[in-house]
Amino acid sequence: MKETKIILSEREIPQEWYNIVPDLPKPPAPPLHPGTGKPIGPEDLAPIFPMELIKQEVSSEPMIAIPDEIIDIYKLWRPTPLVRATRLERALKTPARIYYKNESVSPAGSHKPNTAVAQAYYNMKAGVKRIATETGAGQWGSALSFACCLFGIKCTVYMVKCSYEQKPYRKSMMHTWGAEVFPSPSDKTNSGREILKKDPNCPGSLGLAISEAVEDAATHDDTKYALGSVLNHVLLHQTVTGLETKKQLKLAGEKADMLIGCVGGGSNFAGLFFPFVKDKMKGQNIRFIAVEPTSCPTLTKGLYKYDFGDVAKMTPLLKMYTLGHSFIPPSIHAGGLRYHGDAPLLCLLYDEKIVEARAYTQNPVFEAAQLFAQTEGIIPAPETAHAIKAVVDEAIKCRETREAKTIVMLFSGHGHFDMGAYDNYFAGKLEDYKYPEEKIREALKDLPKVNE
Ligand SMILES: Cc1ncc(COP(=O)(O)O)c(C=O)c1O
């Protein structure tokens, strides 16, 4: 009998995170100081991150041991199941075999606690009393609130205003875990006040909320900052998903033909596919497909340049695909995919053509999400639904070519707090934003001048 869920025991939770840096086809471009334009050193990051995380950010060790205290907490929901989506396959009449790695089973409902727990742990070890962060959809803010609560650290979350209004219960979740939450732009920081002066109705963006959280951390001695995506150490922590998936595929006797994930900053997708990159470089025929919204098409339409990670130009300059740090995307419901840049490690692999990317508008994405809910049961987060749309398209292609390919997707989160978005979809109120060409052209004019 074929199993639906491929389940590992707690003993099989990875004991080490996988660091892709030594396996990259070329060394990553260094982050640059926003003031001097020179490569930054660990001491430049010390005001906002604890040293252990900085070491991980710049590490070239192939594997990094996961402390027992973190594994103990991972055991609350890890290993996560790899599920065969047979009902979705049947509905699509496809010969493809579809699997999803279900990260929605974590306490916060997404993949984000994989890094939140690690980051809160290293901050606690360094004696940090409070962590400030931003959140888009509210998934990262909830994950960090949960993790901080377990380690007895205070948590302050700047939540992108349009999500704050669309998802009041994400805020309640964060309050339940003891965090404080402000809509961004807020009047708590200079960066927030500056934007509010220009546009009191600004819907906010991740880039702006990052500026607020970084400013909060930089101006308070007992406070550090945590980022839920983009940075090397975040992607490193997320590799627990790909490492488990590798073992699970082996148990199922499968070899993946393609790995698919949605991309906001790149962490869930990177976590899934990084542990497979070496196999592809050795000649295995495997595709990695990144999926983003047409309204924020970072990989498909951005430039591969150094840019700031935030609106207020406080973060180091990162070499990444970017739409320009001043770009504020339309308020789509996949709040977690509204970021102007992407993780530099993912961007390097995209530039090297190891990864491919595509973009979709909202309505077809929600149509795929509803099909998934009606076949597999779980209601996907709008972000996750982008990956599902790509899975559906690839499975339909397999139907046409009669190929029984193995498609593996990272199911990054459930949509239980996104039902307002589903209601808008059912009522025909979701706008299919086109690529906002004019706004992006304007924002790209603001890219910093860097000698590369
Ligand atoms: C459910 C879910 N999936 C995906 C993302 C995108 O982030 P990343 O690309 O870092 O995984 C988010 C971000 O908030 C999210 O909440």
Side-chain angles (χ1 to χ4, degrees):
M1 190 186 75
K2 278 272 177 205
E3 307 238 301
T4 301
K5 297 191 299 305
I6 298 132
I7 301 205
L8 302 173
S9 82
E10 285 181 8
R11 283 187 304 281
E12 290 172 285
I13 293 177
Q15 304 291 305
E16 295 172 312
W17 292 298
Y18 166 66
N19 182 12
I20 197 165
V21 171
D23 292 328
L24 289 173
K26 65 181 194 194
L32 304 179
H33 192 282
T36 63
K38 299 251 155 56
I40 54 168
E43 63 293 348
D44 294 306
L45 294 172
I48 56 168
F49 293 116
M51 199 42 80
E52 275 312 304
L53 289 175
I54 297 173
K55 281 192 205 152
Q56 291 179 2
E57 188 61 25
V58 298
S59 172
S60 49
E61 288 296 312
M63 301 300 289
I64 294 178
I66 308 179
D68 289 344
E69 293 94 322
I70 295 177
I71 292 179
D72 264 357
I73 295 179
Y74 278 172
K75 282 181 188 168
L76 290 172
W77 72 96
R78 303 213 71 82
T80 60
L82 181 72
V83 188
R84 173 91 185 262
T86 45
R87 285 165 186 80
L88 178 62
E89 291 168 15
R90 278 204 292 275
L92 294 169
K93 299 191 176 59
T94 178
R97 290 188 297 280
I98 302 174
Y99 289 86
Y100 60 97
K101 176 73 171 158
N102 187 5
E103 290 297 307
S104 78
V105 298
S106 80
S110 77
H111 63 295
K112 301 278 181 182
N114 297 330
T115 181
V117 169
Q119 294 195 49
Y121 167 80
Y122 290 112
N123 273 285
M124 178 273 292
K125 280 283 182 198
V128 173
K129 299 284 178 262
R130 184 169 71 96
I131 302 182
T133 196
E134 74 293 325
T135 193
Q139 293 269 20
W140 166 244
S142 334
L144 191 68
S145 306
F146 154 69
C148 284
C149 173
L150 293 188
F151 287 115
I153 302 174
K154 285 193 197 146
C155 184
T156 302
V157 182
Y158 294 88
M159 183 170 185
V160 175
K161 199 201 275 165
C162 62
S163 293
Y164 185 90
E165 285 161 1
Q166 282 164 359
K167 301 191 192 184
Y169 293 129
R170 272 279 161 202
K171 185 177 51 184
S172 314
M173 251 175 126
M174 294 183 244
H175 285 156
T176 306
W177 281 311
E180 56 178 358
V181 189
F182 302 117
S184 167
S186 78
D187 59 4
K188 304 282 164 203
T189 64
N190 286 332
S191 336
R193 284 188 291 268
E194 199 62 34
I195 296 280
L196 284 176
K197 235 192 290 165
K198 285 192 225 145
D199 177 8
N201 298 318
C202 175
S205 68
L206 270 179
L208 180 52
I210 292 174
S211 301
E212 293 209 85
V214 170
E215 182 182 327
D216 183 334
T219 50
H220 294 90
D221 282 345
D222 63 348
T223 304
K224 297 269 187 231
Y225 166 70
L227 187 62
S229 187
V230 178
L231 297 179
N232 301 356
H233 66 269
V234 180
L235 275 52
L236 172 85
H237 301 151
Q238 289 296 352
T239 59
V240 284
T241 71
L243 294 167
E244 285 178 9
T245 301
K246 255 194 151 167
K247 282 190 198 166
Q248 288 163 311
L249 285 171
K250 204 163 169 199
L251 279 178
E254 292 280 14
K255 230 179 187 167
D257 292 298
M258 59 192 103
L259 301 179
I260 297 180
C262 65
V263 172
S267 72
N268 82 84
F269 180 49
L272 176 70
F273 87 87
F274 275 10
F276 294 81
V277 167
K278 240 191 318 193
D279 305 332
K280 185 177 174 96
M281 297 209 304
K282 279 192 207 141
Q284 191 189 320
N285 195 2
I286 178 169
R287 289 166 65 199
F288 307 131
I289 305 173
V291 191
E292 56 187 17
T294 323
S295 57
C296 191
T298 316
L299 291 172
T300 49
K301 299 283 185 186
L303 299 180
Y304 192 36
K305 294 271 181 203
Y306 271 103
D307 196 7
F308 295 98
D310 70 327
V311 173
K313 309 186 203 175
M314 291 164 74
T315 66
L317 298 171
L318 302 175
K319 175 96 183 265
M320 58 185 174
Y321 279 83
T322 178
L323 300 169
H325 58 272
S326 58
F327 173 65
I328 297 192
S331 306
I332 57 161
H333 278 282
L337 306 186
R338 293 175 70 245
Y339 184 60
H340 67 273
D342 267 332
L345 294 178
L346 169 66
C347 292
L348 187 153
L349 291 167
Y350 178 65
D351 197 55
E352 292 290 313
K353 309 215 169 1
I354 290 169
V355 173
E356 47 193 295
R358 65 178 70 166
Y360 291 115
T361 55
Q362 295 193 91
N363 282 295
V365 160
F366 273 86
E367 190 188 339
Q370 191 181 13
L371 174 65
F372 190 91
Q374 291 186 346
T375 50
E376 295 300 312
I378 309 174
I379 299 175
E383 292 81 3
T384 313
H386 284 72
I388 296 172
K389 169 67 180 148
V391 168
V392 167
D393 282 1
E394 288 300 324
I396 290 174
K397 256 189 236 160
C398 286
R399 180 174 73 205
E400 286 156 4
T401 58
R402 301 192 183 166
E403 285 173 291
K405 291 199 170 154
T406 303
I407 304 175
V408 181
M409 170 189 71
L410 196 113
F411 190 92
S412 60
H414 67 63
H416 297 177
F417 297 90
D418 301 278
M419 297 321 294
Y422 278 84
D423 282 345
N424 284 336
Y425 166 65
F426 299 141
K429 286 193 199 151
L430 285 193
E431 207 173 317
D432 271 340
Y433 293 104
K434 286 208 192 63
Y435 158 53
E437 194 166 358
E438 195 49 43
K439 270 173 84 178
I440 292 174
R441 195 171 319 124
E442 274 306 302
L444 287 173
K445 283 190 197 149
D446 292 341
L447 286 184
K449 306 266 174 295
V450 173
N451 295 327
E452 287 183 42

